[in-house]
Amino acid sequence: MLTLDPAQIAYSDIYKLMIGIIVPRPIAFVSTLDSSGIRNLAPFSYFTACSSNPPMVCFSTTVRSGPRPYKDTLENVRATGEFVLNTVTEEIAERMNITSADVPPEVDEFALSGLTPIASDLVKPPRVAESKAQMECRLHQIVATSDRPGGGFLIIGEVLRFHVLESLLDGYKVDPEMLKAIGRMGGPTYVRTHDRFEMQRPKSK
């Protein structure tokens, strides 16, 4: 087994290692508004839940090199304190990928991708109508891990509303076969969630 010291590796190569090892990753499809009301929609695969009481989710935006180091999503959340997380499924995978293009802040990715914005209940950013589940979020905290290129900002939000396609639900349990969520692997590779297996957690003695 090869042992690697991150202090001796370029951050761009560390990134390749991390996105290849930490797999599969769910995708946060984040809709925001800037301070003037321009819509933004972008995918992030550094994403997870971090609390259920109260419900909290988090995702991370990376710092880029160049004249615009901070992504529009980060700037919008900083300005407004609101965002929506939309679940990415097989049906909208290609349109989600369109929104990953690096375009100027004034470009509306809803229009670019052909996805449909619909009003949220409690926050101003719209939801993605074609997504089977959405979470309206209010900013709880932004944690800066590093402001150097390759660094990141962890955005933590409290979920104020869940919107879930009713046919997916059995009580509060979501049917993964009907959801058809996708995940991110390394590079341009994605994964479907068809091949699943179950293991029951051992009972305490």
Side-chain angles (χ1 to χ4, degrees), residues 2-194:
L2 183 63
T3 299
L4 302 169
D5 179 357
Q8 305 299 319
I9 305 171
Y11 76 84
S12 56
D13 291 326
I14 292 173
Y15 173 77
K16 293 173 188 175
L17 282 171
M18 293 182 70
I19 65 170
I21 294 170
I22 305 168
V23 292
R25 300 184 307 281
I27 301 167
F29 201 18
V30 185
S31 46
T32 58
L33 294 176
D34 71 8
S35 56
S36 61
I38 295 175
R39 295 179 300 216
N40 183 271
L41 187 58
F44 298 87
S45 64
Y46 287 3
F47 164 51
T48 192
C50 51
S51 171
S52 56
N53 186 22
M56 296 271 190
V57 289
C58 60
F59 69 98
S60 181
T61 72
T62 56
V63 180
R64 302 173 294 193
S65 58
R68 293 176 54 222
Y70 305 129
K71 294 190 176 181
D72 297 336
T73 299
L74 173 62
E75 301 284 29
N76 293 352
V77 172
R78 278 175 166 165
T80 67
E82 297 179 338
F83 59 94
V84 177
L85 292 177
N86 305 275
T87 299
V88 180
T89 62
E90 293 178 32
E91 296 90 342
I92 63 171
E94 290 187 8
R95 284 181 284 178
M96 174 276 298
N97 190 48
I98 291 171
T99 71
S100 67
D102 188 9
V103 296
E106 62 271 17
V107 173
D108 179 346
E109 285 88 355
F110 277 94
L112 185 67
S113 63
L115 291 165
T116 309
I118 54 172
S120 298
D121 286 353
L122 299 177
V123 300
K124 290 182 180 178
R127 298 177 282 140
V128 175
E130 291 83 359
S131 174
K132 296 177 183 177
Q134 309 112 18
M135 293 175 278
E136 297 183 30
C137 300
R138 179 175 57 213
L139 177 63
H140 174 71
Q141 187 178 4
I142 297 177
V143 180
T145 60
S146 168
D147 61 2
R148 295 175 294 181
F153 289 82
L154 183 68
I155 299 171
I156 304 170
E158 180 178 355
V159 180
L160 305 179
R161 283 286 188 275
F162 293 93
H163 302 273
V164 185
L165 194 65
E166 190 172 358
S167 59
L168 298 180
L169 294 174
D170 179 7
Y172 292 100
K173 184 177 180 181
V174 176
D175 183 344
E177 186 66 31
M178 295 186 68
L179 181 62
K180 295 184 178 178
I182 65 169
R184 188 74 190 272
M185 304 293 283
T189 305
Y190 291 79
V191 62
R192 297 183 177 90
T193 51
H194 294 174

